[in-house]
Amino acid sequence: MSGHQRRSWSGRRTSIVRAVAWAGVVGLLVAGCGRIPTSGPVYHYNEPDASASSASPAFSPSGPQKGASPSEILNGFIKAGTGVENDYSVAREYLTTELSGSWKPEDRTLVYSDDVKIDSGQSDQQATAEVNVSTSIDGRGIATSFRNPDKQQIAAKFTQVNGQWRIASIPNGTMLSRSEFEQLFRSFTLYFYDPTFSYAVPDIRWFANRSTVATSVVRVLLQGPAPYLEGAVATAVPNGTSLMRQSVPISNSSAEVGLAGAGVSDANQLTLERLNTQLEQTLKSTNSVESVRLSVDDKAVETGKLGDYQAATINPQVPSPQVGVLEGDLVTYADGQSRKVSGLAPSQVQPSMPTMDSQRRVYAYTDEDREHLAVRTTSGKALDTDMDESITAPSVDTNKWVWAGGSEGSVYALDSGGDSDEPQKVEADWLRNQHIQSLRISRDGSRALVVTGEGDNARVWVSGIKHNPQGAPESLGEPLRVGTTRNATQASWISDTDVVVANTQDGSVQTVSLAGETNDVNGLSDIEHISGGNGKDSIYAQTSTDTYALTGTSWTRVDTKVRDLAYSG
């Protein structure tokens, strides 16, 4: 293998806490920035402990004490932010009657890393809380993290009510310490879809885990996807749809979702079936919902009326055989056995770093210098292109487009079903002049997993893929930064929300959730290549001499001469 190619789950709670504490572990760029930032805020998600109970621990904050000073009232109000039940009733006791009715605690949650400092100011009628914010959750459950704590000042104004100081003015939202946040909040998965509604695309959000969380989840689902998925995914929710009532009651694990709006009132049966599926798949992430009873304008919606309707697939699996190279030929490999791929047109170059589609009908590979892209199909088609720059190992999406990233920041996509052997360039302004080391398309076909840079500048990103009306890839949207704590040089999907990353410089390997959880596995010196299948039990790695399979957190040597193994995709 050339020098260019070389360039190119235990202890769960511990790893979770570490991931949360890493400010800026996961990131979404501000829309329209068009460049990868080197400082500033990024959006952050984190996965809670799966063994945690479905209900958050109870906090019992105290209400205001008689004769308390404005500073004491502000401090008590901040502590009362842990009382999430009963619509933050204790926190509202610290507010005037007028403010209590208009204050919106869910608009923002500030997670602070140090003690809050309160400055009483020049008079009894004002005070300021100085907070070192590490994470901020907005009203849509999207969380912004900071690589360095963001010092914010929260100004409060006071007035006396019946001789007692109360807060008359303060921004919407609450403030929580890191430990309080970890106990009170958890991630929930919203689902949107690829343009054909064949595959579900996860969108992870954060909310206080309280009895009314189903209402919060449905409310933000109706508002659409997170910024990094806008334009890349579809929704069954018609424009202008809203909750009929401001609650989603749950009875016997069934959620009652009442909707209203001109679009949903006029929706056809297919849209209603998809909408019911989207609500049901999303609400199941609350762990308290198994089914949905949908109504529109207070009229029950009957689903299951379309005989050929199929719900979108969550976390599609890849077949177990991998593709690889053995003595200059493309082969499939599974269970210790390899078999030459038959029916392909002869290769013009020595195959290297191959991939295939999930039906094993389309195969793509590069030459050893990664300056040539070759596509072969079992129907006999052959497409060959000499590239203007060295490229990553190719990836095939659900529509059988072959993707690759360039060393100078270009993204290429070639239609394996078309007649042209010239890949089209996919717009990705944020990748301009970046060195792309790895690019893999998700199994739902809606997201690209991209590794950029080298050394301390290495970053792993997920970006939504925008398609034109004909279904051809058009551009990559602004990305979500994946929260690996390693300087990765390669990354591969192992599920719809998890990836495996490797650093070919120091041999480190890590599995990472898009929700922020990181899990280190044993390093592998001289690692050159990694491939990921269905979960952490189907991860393979290649060194200059051997191939290994991951078993738990350790590597087991595999007795095979097949090189450059890769699962489909």
Side-chain angles (χ1 to χ4, degrees):
M1 190 165 291
S2 69
H4 173 78
Q5 286 173 290
R6 290 197 177 97
R7 286 190 301 268
S8 298
W9 298 75
S10 61
R12 183 177 176 88
R13 169 54 77 179
T14 300
S15 63
I16 292 164
V17 173
R18 183 177 65 246
V20 178
W22 258 71
V25 151
V26 180
L28 241 182
L29 304 189
V30 178
C33 67
R35 290 290 185 276
I36 294 176
T38 56
S39 61
V42 292
Y43 288 123
H44 169 91
Y45 302 127
N46 179 68
E47 180 73 10
D49 192 341
S51 64
S53 63
S54 58
S56 295
F59 284 83
S60 300
S62 301
Q65 300 297 307
K66 185 176 181 179
S69 68
S71 294
E72 291 170 334
I73 291 293
L74 179 55
N75 186 60
F77 170 76
I78 294 171
K79 292 181 178 179
T82 60
V84 300
E85 293 294 351
N86 301 317
D87 196 22
Y88 294 83
S89 58
V90 176
R92 294 183 191 274
E93 295 177 16
Y94 288 86
L95 311 177
T96 63
T97 301
E98 182 179 6
L99 181 58
S100 176
S102 61
W103 175 67
K104 299 178 180 179
E106 285 191 322
D107 268 13
R108 183 176 65 163
T109 301
L110 300 180
V111 183
Y112 56 86
S113 53
D114 301 313
D115 291 338
V116 177
K117 297 179 181 179
I118 296 178
D119 182 355
S120 59
Q122 300 295 320
S123 71
D124 287 341
Q125 293 181 313
Q126 63 184 27
T128 301
E130 187 175 281
V131 187
N132 289 322
V133 178
S134 58
T135 303
S136 175
I137 317 289
D138 71 10
R140 295 176 62 188
I142 298 174
T144 305
S145 248
F146 302 89
R147 295 171 190 158
N148 297 307
D150 182 46
K151 185 174 291 186
Q152 297 189 25
Q153 293 186 334
I154 312 301
K157 294 183 179 179
F158 302 84
T159 190
Q160 287 198 334
V161 178
N162 297 325
Q164 302 296 314
W165 289 109
R166 293 295 181 265
I167 300 172
S169 174
I170 197 168
N172 288 329
T174 60
M175 290 166 267
L176 297 173
S177 70
R178 174 60 61 183
S179 62
E180 291 167 348
F181 170 75
E182 290 173 5
Q183 295 177 75
L184 287 169
F185 273 64
R186 56 159 289 205
S187 63
F188 298 86
T189 304
L190 279 59
Y191 283 103
F192 297 91
Y193 302 101
D194 76 297
T196 68
F197 284 85
S198 299
Y199 302 104
V201 183
D203 181 354
I204 300 169
R205 307 293 182 91
W206 278 89
F207 297 102
N209 191 25
R210 53 182 179 149
S211 59
T212 58
V213 72
T215 302
S216 301
V217 169
V218 172
R219 175 176 54 82
V220 297
L221 180 72
L222 300 182
Q223 295 173 11
Y228 89 104
L229 290 175
E230 288 179 358
V233 295
T235 181
V237 180
N239 289 334
T241 300
S242 61
L243 282 170
M244 188 76 179
R245 298 172 184 82
Q246 294 306 307
S247 66
V248 177
I250 299 172
S251 177
N252 297 321
S253 300
S254 181
E256 298 179 14
V257 182
L259 302 177
V264 72
S265 297
D266 297 334
N268 59 28
Q269 188 62 32
L270 177 58
T271 298
L272 293 173
E273 297 281 359
R274 288 171 169 172
L275 178 55
N276 187 78
T277 295
Q278 188 171 6
L279 288 164
E280 192 169 273
Q281 290 179 333
T282 294
L283 283 170
K284 283 184 176 180
S285 74
T286 66
N287 296 330
S288 59
V289 175
E290 291 298 327
S291 63
V292 167
R293 296 195 299 273
L294 177 63
S295 64
V296 174
D297 299 330
D298 274 340
K299 296 179 181 179
V301 172
E302 183 180 353
T303 57
K305 296 174 65 175
L306 298 180
D308 59 348
Y309 174 72
Q310 290 187 338
T313 301
I314 293 177
N315 191 25
Q317 303 290 283
V318 296
S320 58
Q322 299 187 72
V323 64
V325 179
L326 179 62
E327 297 177 351
D329 293 321
L330 291 183
V331 300
T332 57
Y333 173 86
D335 300 324
Q337 302 295 317
S338 61
R339 179 179 297 179
K340 182 178 178 180
V341 180
S342 59
L344 303 183
S347 179
Q348 296 182 5
V349 298
Q350 178 78 13
S352 178
M353 292 298 160
T355 190
M356 60 184 174
D357 73 316
S358 59
Q359 287 79 39
R360 289 184 283 168
R361 297 173 183 169
V362 177
Y363 295 81
Y365 52 89
T366 69
D367 62 351
E368 290 188 337
D369 293 328
R370 295 196 188 177
E371 294 176 350
H372 181 94
L373 176 63
V375 176
R376 297 292 184 270
T377 71
T378 53
S379 63
K381 177 173 288 188
L383 301 173
D384 288 274
T385 302
D386 290 325
M387 306 299 293
D388 293 332
E389 56 185 316
S390 60
I391 59 174
T392 64
S395 180
V396 183
D397 69 16
T398 54
N399 293 321
K400 296 179 172 53
W401 283 76
V402 178
W403 292 70
S407 59
E408 298 176 10
S410 296
V411 177
Y412 302 95
L414 175 63
D415 183 5
S416 68
D419 297 325
S420 174
D421 59 4
E422 289 297 323
Q424 69 180 47
K425 284 192 176 183
V426 178
E427 292 183 15
D429 287 346
W430 61 275
L431 283 169
R432 191 176 302 161
N433 299 322
Q434 296 292 321
H435 175 49
I436 302 176
Q437 298 222 64
S438 176
L439 186 151
R440 306 295 294 184
I441 305 302
S442 62
R443 290 131 193 213
D444 51 61
S446 299
R447 298 166 294 161
L449 176 65
V450 184
V451 179
T452 63
E454 296 180 86
D456 291 342
N457 293 319
R459 301 287 185 270
V460 183
W461 313 91
V462 173
S463 176
I465 301 171
K466 300 178 183 180
H467 296 82
N468 66 20
Q470 291 72 43
E474 196 169 55
S475 63
L476 298 185
E478 301 299 337
L480 173 83
R481 183 176 171 190
V482 179
T484 178
T485 58
R486 301 298 176 186
N487 295 327
T489 56
Q490 293 184 18
S492 180
W493 295 97
I494 55 175
S495 77
D496 60 350
T497 58
D498 297 274
V499 302
V500 57
V501 301
N503 184 335
T504 56
Q505 304 298 318
D506 63 14
S508 60
V509 180
Q510 190 175 67
T511 59
V512 188
S513 166
L514 298 188
E517 179 193 351
T518 63
N519 287 284
D520 290 322
V521 302
N522 289 349
L524 190 61
S525 61
D526 198 28
I527 189 172
E528 293 184 341
H529 175 63
I530 197 161
S531 65
N534 299 313
K536 63 183 181 66
D537 295 326
S538 54
I539 296 173
Y540 281 71
Q542 173 183 298
T543 67
S544 60
T545 56
D546 295 299
T547 298
Y548 295 84
L550 185 64
T551 305
T553 59
S554 301
W555 297 97
T556 302
R557 184 179 177 278
V558 177
D559 186 16
T560 181
K561 295 182 180 180
V562 180
R563 306 290 292 170
D564 300 353
L565 287 172
Y567 287 92
S568 63

